[in-house]
């Protein structure tokens, strides 16, 4: 029986978490963890599989025989831009834990804005006991741009909490209790949206989509008057200069940003200091490494068992 192909692991995650998750993963094959310096210059020809997240740029040159590339996350922009990407299936990570994490983050941001958390923190810092007039979730419409795996889950959970939820995507979606829009219905969707949530992949079509022109089309009829922008998708989809001016001018009332044009966010960025901005360091839905390896094992088993791979990326569309 031919020996099973090794798996290359090239993940810029927390190294200890990768090490721990590798114990017991891929029991019947060799694992070449490129974070181990002994492997770094190793010849990787003849190897079928690689699991990558922000991998070293020489990966595909060193591993010229890959049959499948697995993204360590749901997004694949970091792989599609790597030099020498081979013409083989690219599989993205779709997983319950990742989806749940993203919905937790989105729900948390919506609730912190709804419940005026920053304003109460500021009052507490002054030891000031005072209540603010409190609208409820049903007074707001959350508009989600990107109604894929993550967008649909967040939409359902926000809806359970009482928010009105609308969604926009490339193709029309049917989601119980959620009004959906597609393609050129964007302006109608925006006119209804008080809290705008970005859960789009970064593609040539979505680059810079969150800009001043788009913010100007958001609803200004909500109880807080100025709309709020929450982005858990990709920083390349937002124009940060426009977000800053919109926050300065009041075109936007507040923001929650997990992703940035340049990561890590520079220490001198104004976003860190702004009282109406929540910043998190691209952790809205970090991949659970154990779950990632188990998903890769399942996909390899499917492939080697003659079944089609799941979650294969449309490279032309970019997601
Ligand atoms: P999916 O591929 O399941 O969904 C993407 C959604 O975006 C789809 O609804 C798709 O429309 C829509 N879309 C794509 N391009 C366009 C466009 N040009 N116009 C309108 N809609 C568009 O992805 P996921 O939901 O799994 O993930 C979304 C993104 O979230 C990832 O690509 C990644 O960048 C980001 N992410 C961020 C994380 C973080 O920690 N901050 C963690 C995980 C993911 P359609 O349904 O019609 O195809
Ligand atoms: C992802 C991410 O795409 O963590 O999974 O950003």
């Amino acid at each position: 029986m031919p020996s099973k192909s090794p798996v290359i692991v090239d993940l810029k995650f927390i190294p200890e978490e990768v090490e721990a998750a590798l114990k017991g993963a891929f029991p019947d094959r060799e694992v070449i963890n490129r974070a181990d310096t002994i492997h770094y210059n190793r010849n990787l020809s003849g190897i079928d599989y690689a699991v990558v997240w922000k991998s070293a740029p020489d990966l595909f040159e060193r591993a010229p025989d890959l049959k499948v590339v697995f993204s360590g996350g749901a997004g694949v922009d970091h792989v599609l831009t790597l030099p020498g990407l081979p013409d083989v299936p690219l599989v993205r990570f779709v997983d319950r834990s990742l989806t749940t994490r993203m919905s937790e983050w989105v729900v948390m941001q919506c609730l912190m804005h709804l419940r005026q958390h920053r304003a109460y923190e500021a009052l507490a810092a002054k030891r000031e006991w005072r209540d603010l007039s409190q609208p409820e979730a049903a007074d707001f419409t959350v508009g989600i741009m990107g109604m894929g795996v993550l967008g649909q889950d967040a939409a359902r959970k926000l809806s359970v909490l009482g928010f009105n939820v609308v969604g926009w995507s490339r193709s029309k979606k049917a989601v119980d209790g959620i009004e959906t829009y597609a393609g050129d219905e964007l302006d109608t969707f925006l006119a209804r949206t008080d809290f705008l949530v970005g859960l789009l992949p970064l593609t040539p079509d979505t680059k810079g989509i969150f800009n001043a022109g788009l913010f100007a089309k958001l609803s200004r009829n909500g109880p807080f008057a100025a709309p709020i922008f929450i982005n858990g998708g990709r920083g390349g989809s937002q124009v940060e200069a426009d977000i800053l001016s919109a926050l300065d001018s009041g075109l936007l009332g507040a923001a929650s940003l997990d992703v940035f044009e340049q990561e890590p966010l520079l220490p001198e960025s104004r976003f860190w200091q702004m009282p109406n901005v929540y910043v998190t360091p691209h952790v809205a839905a970090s991949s659970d490494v154990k779950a990632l390896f188990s998903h890769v094992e399942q996909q390899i088993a499917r492939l080697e068992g003659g079944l089609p791979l799941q979650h294969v990326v449309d490279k032309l569309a970019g997601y």
Side-chain angles (χ1 to χ4, degrees), residues 92 147-150 168-171 173 201 232 234 258 285 319:
R92 70 192 198 94
M147 284 292 283
V149 175
L150 303 183
W168 177 79
S169 47
R170 214 154 62 114
S171 56
K173 296 280 172 290
R234 280 291 181 271
D258 183 61
Y319 68 100

Side-chain angles (χ1 to χ4, degrees), residues 145 198-203 205-211 214-215 229 231 233-240 243 259-261:
M145 285 176 71
L199 285 175
L200 286 168
L202 178 59
T203 72
D205 289 340
T206 64
K207 189 170 184 322
I209 195 168
F210 300 116
N211 56 37
L214 182 140
F215 299 142
F229 176 51
N231 195 7
R234 280 291 181 271
S237 300
Q238 69 199 17
V239 179
E240 286 170 14
I243 300 174
V259 288
F260 295 88
E261 286 174 18

Side-chain angles (χ1 to χ4, degrees), residues 171-250:
S171 56
K172 188 93 171 166
K173 296 280 172 290
V175 187
D176 261 1
I178 313 288
E179 263 187 74
T180 57
Y181 299 84
D184 60 8
E185 296 171 329
L186 179 61
D187 286 4
T188 317
F189 159 90
L190 292 171
R192 296 196 50 192
T193 295
D194 304 308
F195 290 6
L196 176 66
V197 173
L199 285 175
L200 286 168
L202 178 59
T203 72
D205 289 340
T206 64
K207 189 170 184 322
I209 195 168
F210 300 116
N211 56 37
L214 182 140
F215 299 142
K217 293 176 182 166
L218 290 167
S219 156
R220 307 188 72 78
N221 303 322
F224 296 155
I228 288 169
F229 176 51
I230 296 169
N231 195 7
R234 280 291 181 271
S237 300
Q238 69 199 17
V239 179
E240 286 170 14
D242 287 6
I243 300 174
L244 286 166
S245 333
L247 289 165
D248 288 340
S249 69

Side-chain angles (χ1 to χ4, degrees), residues 67-262:
K67 292 206 177 85
V68 185
V69 178
F70 294 94
S71 168
V76 291
D77 46 300
H78 66 106
V79 186
L80 292 173
T81 50
L82 276 176
L85 176 67
D87 186 15
V88 299
L90 168 60
V91 172
R92 70 192 198 94
F93 185 35
V94 175
D95 174 65
R96 181 205 54 82
S97 66
L98 188 141
T99 304
T100 303
R101 285 174 183 189
M102 181 57 85
S103 291
E104 286 169 356
W105 185 84
V106 170
V107 166
M108 175 177 75
Q109 301 306 325
C110 288
L111 288 178
M112 285 197 302
H113 291 294
L114 169 71
R115 299 306 302 256
Q116 305 173 82
H117 193 63
R118 273 285 158 86
Y120 282 114
E121 280 179 334
L123 288 171
K126 294 187 283 178
R127 312 276 195 272
E128 197 176 324
W129 182 277
R130 179 155 71 82
D131 58 348
L132 304 168
S133 126
Q134 182 59 62
E136 62 175 302
D139 298 325
F140 294 88
T141 297
V142 181
I144 302 181
M145 285 176 71
M147 284 292 283
V149 175
L150 303 183
Q152 290 191 32
D153 191 69
R156 288 192 194 96
K157 288 170 180 166
L158 288 164
S159 173
V160 166
L161 284 169
F163 287 101
N164 304 297
V165 184
V166 294
W168 177 79
S169 47
R170 214 154 62 114
S171 56
K172 188 93 171 166
K173 296 280 172 290
V175 187
D176 261 1
I178 313 288
E179 263 187 74
T180 57
Y181 299 84
D184 60 8
E185 296 171 329
L186 179 61
D187 286 4
T188 317
F189 159 90
L190 292 171
R192 296 196 50 192
T193 295
D194 304 308
F195 290 6
L196 176 66
V197 173
L199 285 175
L200 286 168
L202 178 59
T203 72
D205 289 340
T206 64
K207 189 170 184 322
I209 195 168
F210 300 116
N211 56 37
L214 182 140
F215 299 142
K217 293 176 182 166
L218 290 167
S219 156
R220 307 188 72 78
N221 303 322
F224 296 155
I228 288 169
F229 176 51
I230 296 169
N231 195 7
R234 280 291 181 271
S237 300
Q238 69 199 17
V239 179
E240 286 170 14
D242 287 6
I243 300 174
L244 286 166
S245 333
L247 289 165
D248 288 340
S249 69
L251 187 60
L252 285 177
S256 293
L257 304 172
D258 183 61
V259 288
F260 295 88
E261 286 174 18
Q262 186 186 336

